[in-house]
Amino acid sequence: MHLLGPYLFLLLGKAVAQAEYLAFSNSNPWIFEHPATFYAWEGACVWIPCTYRIPKADAQVDRLVMFHNPEYNETIKRYVGTVLYNNTVNRKSPSQQGRVRFLGDSKKNCTLSIESLYVNDSGRLGLRMMTKDDKWMDHVNLSISKSPFPPRIQIPPELQESQTVTVTCLLNFTCFGYDIELRWVLEGLPFTPASSTISSSPTTQNVSTKSQIDLKPEWTHHGKNLTCQVWHSAEVLSEETVQLNVKRESPPPPYTMFPRDGGKYRCQASNDIGLGMSEEVALKVLYPPTVSEVYIHHTPAKEGQSVELVCTSPANPPPTNYTWYHNGKEVPGVTEEKYWIAQVLTWHAGHYACVAENRLGSGQVGQEAELDVQYVPKGVTTVIESPTPIREGDSVTLRCRYNSSNPTVTRYEWSPQRLWNEPSHEVMKIQNVAWDTPSISCSACNQWCSPASPIDLDVAPRDLGWKGEEVLQISSLSEIRAGNQVRLQCHFSKSHPEEVHFFWKKNGSLLEAKGRELNFDSVSPEDAGNYSCLVQNSIGQSASEAWRLQVLYAPRRLWVSITPGDRVMEGRKAALTCESDANPPISQYTWFDWNNQDLQYSGQTLSLDPVKVEHSGSYWCKGVNKLGEGESPPSTLTIYYSPETIARRTTMGIGICLAILILVIWGVKLQQNWKRTRSQQGPQENSNGRSFFVRNKKVRRTLLSEGPHSLGCYNPMMEDSINYATLRFPETDTPGTGGTGPSETQGPLPNNEDTYSVVQRCHGDYENVAPNLPEDDGIHYSELVHFGTGERPRAPEDVDYVTLKH
């Protein structure tokens, strides 16, 4: 039988196993909503809309186990059968394996889709859903036909001319992975009325695809065939055809014929001469089917046998199409007078009805017929109700249980019968049980008996013979280090029976190793733990005391953890801890910074309190025990500024920018004033038109000792006016060397006398100021030399001359 492969996500149904509920559930039952049976054909797919509700509101499904035809085993208290899927529920995304996709979640959705179906996929499928505290099993039926089944056209049996009616083409199939289309054909030609709709409705109550059209028949449509076709990939999969019966408004006939009026007729006429008889005429009265009834052959039927159901309904002409119903729901794909079930299953049981139709219309549903499917008791198990373990001489109580049976169980049989002489009942008691009691099984019987699997009582003798179980270390080493060879041996004295098997446990978990000795060619730190051995014979087993294996090894897996994190604000506290794995523990730690500089600290935790921005960088540690040393990879600590530091630095930066801006403005102003002053030192003409030179010396310190002088000064921060110094020269024929100031005995000079003056560069927002310090380098002097009729003096090398004309 093809079982959808090992990847099937089983379909979900409403039926819940009663034994499951009694054995495991003390809470309200789970609630599932989905159609009970799904229909499809080979090669197609099926879409199963499904929802569920867990009794406990905050619970979630953690695991799914899917079976084919599951049976509940009372002995092991769980379902058994072919396991098709066993996995943990993924709460984030849909799960797909092979042909099956699980589209649900862990709270309420259990929707499935299955592709590429086979006929043998039909049957009873189940889903085992488990939370941390509860579990449930749900079932559903899947019926797959060899070929696509036709749709069903729903149309009134009689149409009135020019009166619009709604005609529906219904197919009990929907799958989003298998596109189908419903098309209408009238007398072989495509027919698309102005008003038509197509819809697919996979809901938890019904799965179907339907097309509805508004038909306004005319008299010319009478007797024509209207067909609905199922299309897939440019191919017609199946179709259904009805013949239109259109009535016209006409005078009623003089006589209304009924089905019983059919038969042979003659008429007789008479006059004064005599009688005349016509030839015999056969009258056939056409009428639609009447009430339809179902007859079942071979009921009750045993599971696995064949069953035939026949639909009978008087009609003329005979019915051409039949619709079958199972427990009130339409059975897709069955349109013949006879409904043949080749191999009846338990889910086939129930009430059946049918409706026949011919070209004149449809009949009515008559009395339903019940199909009783009988089967052997299912889920038969033998349960030990006595406390375990069982010792020789104890009293043992056994019970024979089953899940379901039709008809009900009437008797029980136990094997082997030589163990007791009591009548066969559901409960069996064995007094003074022997240690060598053989395996026992029971059978539950109605008309047929169904045996349970044998169980072994595992009776232990009063004296098992276990002596001195212990684990010995066969090694000359006083201490075990990683890489050493270690051998453990399970020691005991004797056993009854003598044939024994050895098993090993580490920290309570069973190991794969078997045998009296457990060897480690190169022991590792992961091998450390508590070891115990188990000695088992056919009666039972005994376990030794645990023996601890300690493995010494050098430090490894060092790393630096930072608390509270690798990003800390300055001023806070940070703790760097050197984590390690070592046996014996690390005895000394060494800390290094990002420059591989030894921080001269030997503790496991390096504290920085308070942290500063300068502490930012990578840190690593080294650990040492007596077996060696290990070092960690670098861990980066980032210190970021506090809000106070950010505010202070921001203020300082703004101040520096403002100062630079002011200096730039001052520089531009001074440069403009200097250019203006140079442009004003061009040739001048004095009152008498004589020319002279200005001999410029940058330093003339001897003049500073004299009294204060009135100095003309231009202030660039004031208005853009120009100040001039008055230059006068005395009338003389001898050239004189200008001083830096007027003579002390000289009085006021007339306007036509030549004079000279000192020009000083100002340093403040003042005008006409006297120099303060004799060593002021900010003073520039101009020596004015007047040339008379005599020879011009020789110019010193360090004097620059400027010709002034006046």
Side-chain angles (χ1 to χ4, degrees):
M1 180 178 181
H2 189 82
L3 299 179
L4 292 180
Y7 308 108
L8 175 64
F9 274 97
L10 292 180
L11 312 181
L12 313 178
K14 287 187 175 180
V16 178
Q18 182 178 3
E20 164 74 18
Y21 177 75
L22 295 176
F24 294 102
S25 180
N26 294 324
S27 60
N28 294 328
W30 296 34
I31 297 176
F32 285 82
E33 292 187 2
H34 54 73
T37 304
F38 293 88
Y39 302 92
W41 53 85
E42 192 170 70
C45 62
V46 64
W47 185 275
I48 305 103
C50 173
T51 62
Y52 67 96
R53 186 176 67 190
I54 306 175
K56 191 174 181 180
D58 57 347
Q60 292 185 348
V61 171
D62 296 323
R63 188 182 176 197
L64 297 176
V65 181
M66 294 138 207
F67 300 89
H68 181 266
N69 291 330
E71 299 290 347
Y72 185 71
N73 190 314
E74 285 287 353
T75 302
I76 60 176
K77 301 296 185 182
R78 66 171 181 261
Y79 278 93
V80 295
T82 303
V83 177
L84 303 178
Y85 185 82
N86 187 343
N87 198 8
T88 302
V89 174
N90 188 341
R91 301 187 177 95
K92 295 183 178 181
S93 62
S95 176
Q96 180 171 359
Q97 293 186 0
R99 297 183 289 148
V100 181
R101 293 191 67 197
F102 177 69
L103 307 172
D105 53 39
S106 62
K107 296 294 290 184
K108 61 180 180 179
N109 190 350
C110 49
T111 300
L112 298 165
S113 67
I114 307 174
E115 300 177 354
S116 303
L117 295 171
Y118 296 88
V119 172
N120 289 336
D121 292 334
S122 301
R124 187 167 178 260
L125 305 172
L127 172 66
R128 179 73 157 167
M129 306 186 74
M130 288 172 276
T131 66
K132 293 181 179 179
D133 305 320
D134 201 2
K135 58 187 72 172
W136 204 259
M137 172 71 79
D138 204 62
H139 303 88
V140 74
N141 299 315
L142 179 64
S143 178
I144 308 301
S145 60
K146 183 66 177 178
S147 59
F149 48 82
R152 173 175 170 77
I153 298 178
Q154 298 175 347
I155 187 173
E158 186 176 283
L159 306 178
Q160 294 295 328
E161 183 182 16
S162 301
Q163 292 185 5
T164 302
V165 295
T166 299
V167 183
T168 302
C169 179
L170 180 64
L171 181 70
N172 289 336
F173 171 85
T174 289
C175 184
F176 295 129
Y178 190 89
D179 295 334
I180 60 171
E181 182 181 359
L182 301 180
R183 300 182 184 178
W184 294 91
V185 175
L186 182 61
E187 282 295 304
L189 298 176
F191 178 64
T192 305
S195 176
S196 63
T197 59
I198 296 180
S199 62
S200 297
S201 59
T203 66
T204 56
Q205 287 75 36
N206 184 30
V207 174
S208 64
T209 302
K210 67 179 180 179
S211 173
Q212 289 185 325
I213 61 173
D214 289 341
L215 178 64
K216 189 176 182 180
E218 301 296 336
W219 173 245
T220 55
H221 291 150
H222 180 72
K224 291 186 176 180
N225 293 326
L226 179 64
T227 303
C228 178
Q229 298 177 336
V230 180
W231 285 72
H232 171 70
S233 299
E235 179 184 1
V236 178
L237 300 182
S238 63
E239 62 182 17
E240 174 77 1
T241 301
V242 295
Q243 192 175 53
L244 300 181
N245 182 19
V246 183
K247 299 297 182 180
R248 300 187 66 181
E249 292 295 338
S250 61
Y255 179 76
T256 302
M257 303 299 295
F258 296 94
R260 63 178 181 272
D261 295 329
K264 297 181 178 180
Y265 289 85
R266 287 183 179 185
C267 65
Q268 178 178 297
S270 63
N271 57 14
D272 295 339
I273 298 175
L275 298 175
M277 184 70 67
S278 69
E279 294 182 359
E280 187 177 70
V281 176
L283 175 63
K284 293 182 179 181
V285 179
L286 303 180
Y287 57 95
T290 58
V291 177
S292 302
E293 295 183 359
V294 176
Y295 294 92
I296 302 177
H297 297 288
H298 308 298
T299 183
K302 184 181 178 182
E303 183 179 18
Q305 292 181 344
S306 61
V307 175
E308 184 182 56
L309 296 85
V310 181
C311 182
T312 62
S313 181
N316 192 15
T320 57
N321 187 73
Y322 295 84
T323 303
W324 287 87
Y325 298 91
H326 178 209
N327 293 331
K329 294 186 177 180
E330 183 178 344
V331 180
V334 182
T335 59
E336 302 296 330
E337 178 185 7
K338 296 181 179 180
Y339 178 17
W340 174 262
I341 303 177
Q343 195 175 40
V344 69
L345 303 175
T346 55
W347 64 272
H348 284 124
H351 294 85
Y352 286 83
C354 66
V355 172
E357 59 180 310
N358 60 10
R359 63 184 178 84
L360 300 179
S362 299
Q364 298 177 354
V365 176
Q367 184 177 1
E368 294 181 331
E370 182 178 4
L371 173 59
D372 182 17
V373 179
Q374 297 183 346
Y375 52 91
V376 299
K378 294 181 180 294
V380 181
T381 56
T382 304
V383 180
I384 302 175
E385 295 189 341
S386 300
T388 56
I390 301 174
R391 297 289 184 180
E392 183 179 8
D394 291 347
S395 297
V396 179
T397 301
L398 306 175
R399 183 180 296 272
C400 190
R401 291 183 176 178
Y402 66 94
N403 289 342
S404 61
S405 175
N406 184 24
T408 185
V409 171
T410 57
R411 61 188 176 90
Y412 298 87
E413 294 180 357
W414 293 86
S415 175
Q417 296 182 355
R418 63 179 177 83
L419 296 178
W420 46 79
N421 296 319
E422 300 180 6
S424 297
H425 298 289
E426 178 184 2
V427 177
M428 177 61 62
K429 292 185 178 180
I430 306 176
Q431 304 292 340
N432 194 19
V433 66
W435 71 271
D436 58 348
T437 299
S439 298
I440 301 174
S441 66
C442 73
S443 297
C445 305
N446 47 27
Q447 297 179 14
W448 312 275
C449 290
S450 177
S453 299
I455 62 170
D456 193 346
L457 297 184
D458 292 329
V459 180
R462 288 298 180 182
D463 183 12
L464 281 175
W466 301 113
K467 303 294 183 181
E469 301 85 4
E470 61 179 338
V471 176
L472 298 179
Q473 174 192 347
I474 310 300
S475 175
S476 60
L477 300 174
S478 59
E479 62 180 24
I480 300 174
R481 299 188 179 186
N484 291 157
Q485 185 176 6
V486 178
R487 181 160 59 100
L488 305 180
Q489 187 180 76
C490 185
H491 173 74
F492 80 104
S493 60
K494 64 179 182 177
S495 167
H496 174 69
E498 295 181 356
E499 183 179 357
V500 296
H501 301 278
F502 296 91
F503 302 92
W504 291 88
K505 283 187 176 181
K506 175 186 176 184
N507 298 328
S509 298
L510 190 65
L511 301 178
E512 294 183 359
K514 297 180 181 179
R516 188 164 189 169
E517 292 185 354
L518 182 62
N519 296 309
F520 301 92
D521 294 334
S522 179
V523 71
S524 67
E526 286 72 21
D527 293 326
N530 296 316
Y531 288 82
S532 60
C533 67
L534 290 84
V535 186
Q536 184 182 53
N537 61 13
S538 60
I539 304 301
Q541 67 181 17
S542 179
S544 70
E545 295 292 333
W547 181 86
R548 182 165 182 78
L549 173 62
Q550 293 188 357
V551 181
L552 305 181
Y553 52 95
R556 62 176 189 169
R557 300 172 183 171
L558 276 71
W559 63 284
V560 176
S561 64
I562 304 176
T563 305
D566 56 359
R567 293 178 57 85
V568 184
M569 182 189 298
E570 64 174 342
R572 303 288 178 86
K573 179 180 179 180
L576 288 75
T577 303
C578 188
E579 309 287 354
S580 64
D581 178 17
N583 188 19
I586 291 178
S587 58
Q588 182 179 357
Y589 296 87
T590 308
W591 287 89
F592 300 89
D593 63 8
W594 54 93
N595 293 322
N596 291 329
Q597 180 180 355
D598 191 344
L599 300 181
Q600 303 298 321
Y601 183 74
S602 60
Q604 184 179 5
T605 301
L606 176 63
S607 297
L608 302 177
D609 187 14
V611 295
K612 301 178 182 180
V613 176
E614 299 82 47
H615 291 151
S616 295
S618 298
Y619 295 83
W620 60 281
C621 64
K622 181 185 295 184
V624 179
N625 66 5
K626 68 177 184 178
L627 299 181
E629 66 178 22
E631 61 182 41
S632 71
S635 293
T636 302
L637 173 64
T638 303
I639 310 301
Y640 56 91
Y641 289 118
S642 63
E644 294 79 6
T645 301
I646 295 174
R648 183 171 62 254
R649 288 178 175 261
T650 301
T651 303
M652 183 180 298
I654 294 175
I656 293 174
C657 293
L658 291 175
I660 294 174
L661 180 61
I662 293 174
L663 291 177
V664 170
I665 294 175
W666 270 81
V668 173
K669 282 290 187 178
L670 291 176
Q671 184 178 15
Q672 291 176 351
N673 293 338
W674 178 77
K675 290 181 179 181
R676 186 183 296 111
T677 304
R678 289 291 302 271
S679 64
Q680 293 172 358
Q681 291 181 357
Q684 303 283 336
E685 292 292 339
N686 62 7
S687 59
N688 55 14
R690 291 176 295 178
S691 62
F692 59 90
F693 292 91
V694 177
R695 185 169 57 193
N696 181 17
K697 280 189 176 182
K698 295 183 179 180
V699 179
R700 294 293 298 275
R701 301 186 184 278
T702 57
L703 300 178
L704 296 177
S705 61
E706 300 180 3
H709 302 281
S710 176
L711 304 177
C713 178
Y714 167 68
N715 185 358
M717 300 302 294
M718 304 295 289
E719 59 183 336
D720 294 336
S721 60
I722 300 176
N723 297 326
Y724 297 92
T726 303
L727 306 178
R728 292 192 178 89
F729 297 87
E731 295 289 336
T732 176
D733 296 332
T734 304
T737 301
T740 60
S743 174
E744 295 181 359
T745 59
Q746 185 176 356
L749 299 176
N751 294 334
N752 59 351
E753 292 181 354
D754 294 334
T755 64
Y756 61 91
S757 175
V758 175
V759 180
Q760 179 184 7
R761 186 177 65 183
C762 295
H763 295 274
D765 296 336
Y766 303 95
E767 297 184 6
N768 302 323
V769 294
N772 293 328
L773 299 175
E775 297 298 325
D776 191 354
D777 292 336
I779 299 177
H780 295 264
Y781 298 92
S782 297
E783 183 175 359
L784 309 181
V785 181
H786 176 266
F787 296 95
T789 58
E791 185 179 349
R792 188 173 69 176
R794 186 178 181 85
E797 294 180 357
D798 58 347
V799 177
D800 298 327
Y801 291 90
V802 179
T803 303
L804 303 180
K805 296 183 179 182
H806 60 87

